[in-house]
Amino acid sequence: MLTLQAHVDLTAANTLRLPCYAERFMAPQTLCDLQAILRRAAVCQWPVTLLGGGSNVLLPPQLSGIVIRPSLHQWWLESQGDDVVAYVGAGVNWHSLVMALAARGVWGTENLALIPGHCGAAPVQNIGAYGVELKDVLLGVQVVEIASGNMRWMSAAECQFGYRDSLFKHALANRVVITQLALRLSRQSNPKLHYGDLSSRVPSQPTPLAIAEAVCAVRRAKLPDPAVLANAGSFFKNPLVSQAHAERLLHQYPAMPHFSQPDGKIKLAAGWLIDQCGLKGWREGSFGVHAQQALVLVHFGGGDRAGLLQFAERVVSAVNTHFGVELEPEPRVL
Ligand SMILES: Cc1cc2nc3c(=O)[nH]c(=O)nc-3n(C[C@H](O)[C@H](O)[C@H](O)COP(=O)(O)OP(=O)(O)OC[C@H]3O[C@@H](n4cnc5c(N)ncnc54)[C@H](O)[C@@H]3O)c2cc1C
């Protein structure tokens, strides 16, 4: 049965704990229910906002129309020799999926352990961590068009994945609901340990579970837990600059972390740039730069989206003044 709720408080439904009320809210658990509510929204001309686990969004005080949280919770595996294809509903918790796959000895997602959120949102920014991105294992996504309710499959190539980027942030933003993922995984050992000191944290012939647990341990030590201190993980993307720009900066700051990209650009570490501006641990009012991880902005309570955006703008402007580099927020402004 479809349950449409009115005037729903979403403050606890976003990890930044920004106060927000949805005019209407629904969490469909089947494709049919989702299509039915999309039809109703179209007839009533309600603007549709999609929400997953709320770990990568900046919510306004009011969201008019209807907020839909796709809550399709089924997932299953299909074996094809050593290959395994996982079909995963949009409402499945990403971290629980990763741990369940790792525990079954299935390789592919273990480096992406402890990323908060639902599977349906994972393709939106092509989640990535510890040298692996979703696009490395994604075969395709099932989507339902918001305007028509029609369902179709898109291949990974059609999703136009980039660094924390996809078509779902551009041409398909607010146009489709991602309802299911198909992931190509394997039972063959394939550890990816080149990132940071991950290789020193696992046994010489690690299982996917050992890697997932090592990743969890590193992340728990580095990142604030949103359940304890409200945050949305990395608030800024790592900026990409031209080689000439990077060389000028390296002349002045020889210790600056920098990573060459396949397209010739150089990726800089946003957290390092913020730290160099002396902003690590800086707090003003309701918001602050986390004391251990400068890339994370935290909400101490009592603030709202406008306040957070103003705070973030001051960080952006300090980095721009020092380095001539423009930081871009990672969470989606809904
Ligand atoms: C502590 C912490 C650590 C994090 N670490 C990482 C990290 O290492 N790597 C990384 O990449 N990200 C990281 N993130 C960001 C975040 O976890 C991911 O972006 C995650 O995929 C967001 O999922 P969500 O369900 O919370 O999405 P939400 O925040 O609810 O939504 C994000 C966007 O996706 C859209 N959306 C949601 N569901 C759907 C759907 N079914 N169909 C279409 N659009 C949809 C929303 O409208 C919104 O634009 C971190 C966040 C936190 C709080």
Side-chain angles (χ1 to χ4, degrees):
M1 195 183 72
L2 296 176
T3 314
L4 183 61
Q5 296 169 259
H7 195 60
V8 173
D9 186 354
L10 297 181
T11 311
N14 72 103
T15 61
L16 269 164
R17 302 281 186 279
L18 296 175
C20 174
Y21 274 90
E23 190 178 5
R24 297 174 194 82
F25 177 87
M26 205 186 142
Q29 296 188 6
T30 66
L31 213 50
C32 280
D33 283 357
L34 173 68
Q35 287 168 319
I37 193 63
L38 288 176
R39 271 195 300 276
R40 184 153 172 210
V43 169
C44 300
Q45 300 191 330
W46 296 332
V48 171
T49 302
L50 299 173
L51 188 67
S55 64
N56 207 26
V57 284
L58 302 178
L59 296 182
Q62 299 285 340
L63 272 169
S64 56
I66 181 163
V67 173
I68 297 179
R69 179 194 278 153
S71 299
L72 296 90
H73 290 302
Q74 286 77 22
W75 69 274
W76 66 93
L77 300 177
E78 276 180 21
S79 289
Q80 299 169 1
D82 273 344
D83 279 354
V84 177
V85 178
Y87 292 93
V88 187
V92 174
N93 175 276
W94 174 262
H95 172 66
S96 306
L97 175 78
V98 169
M99 297 313 283
L101 291 170
R104 286 168 169 79
V106 176
W107 291 85
T109 57
E110 57 283 353
N111 291 43
L112 302 176
L114 214 61
I115 297 182
H118 295 184
C119 291
V124 174
Q125 75 153 358
N126 178 28
I127 55 169
Y130 295 89
V132 173
E133 291 182 317
L134 180 74
K135 73 172 172 57
D136 302 334
V137 293
L138 192 81
L139 271 176
V141 293
Q142 184 193 59
V143 297
V144 170
E145 287 173 10
I146 290 178
S148 64
N150 291 339
M151 190 269 275
R152 67 188 160 100
W153 276 89
M154 293 173 62
S155 68
E158 280 178 89
C159 300
Q160 298 181 17
F161 290 120
Y163 164 63
R164 302 289 188 274
D165 203 21
S166 74
L167 201 62
F168 306 109
K169 284 189 170 184
H170 303 285
L172 290 186
N174 302 322
R175 303 273 297 276
V176 297
V177 185
I178 297 165
T179 46
Q180 199 178 97
L181 315 185
L183 307 175
R184 190 206 302 274
L185 308 166
S186 177
R187 290 195 190 278
Q188 284 242 322
S189 171
N190 185 17
K192 299 206 170 58
L193 300 173
H194 52 283
Y195 193 93
D197 63 349
L198 199 50
S199 59
S200 68
R201 293 172 172 270
V202 293
S204 58
Q205 290 190 322
T207 61
L209 190 57
I211 296 176
E213 282 169 349
V215 167
C216 291
V218 180
R219 291 182 65 102
R220 284 199 180 102
K222 269 194 187 168
L223 289 168
D225 178 355
V228 178
L229 184 55
N231 74 87
S234 307
F235 195 88
F236 299 103
K237 293 185 192 179
N238 287 322
L240 295 164
V241 298
S242 68
Q243 200 157 352
H245 192 160
E247 274 165 16
R248 278 198 306 278
L249 289 174
L250 279 166
H251 189 66
Q252 213 179 336
Y253 307 96
M256 178 180 75
H258 58 287
F259 310 93
S260 301
Q261 301 301 295
D263 63 359
K265 291 216 169 115
I266 310 292
K267 192 192 274 182
L268 306 182
W272 186 89
L273 299 174
I274 296 167
D275 194 4
Q276 293 300 303
C277 295
L279 294 176
K280 203 189 237 181
W282 174 52
R283 175 177 178 174
E284 196 165 86
S286 300
F287 299 102
V289 177
H290 190 249
Q292 273 87 51
Q293 176 50 271
L295 198 47
V296 177
L297 301 191
V298 295
H299 179 201
F300 297 103
D304 61 8
R305 182 171 79 177
L308 176 56
L309 288 173
Q310 266 170 26
F311 183 87
E313 186 46 45
R314 294 183 60 186
V315 175
V316 171
S317 140
V319 169
N320 203 344
T321 307
H322 274 73
F323 298 100
V325 173
E326 188 74 25
L327 292 184
E328 201 187 315
E330 187 181 293
R332 309 284 294 147
V333 179
L334 294 190

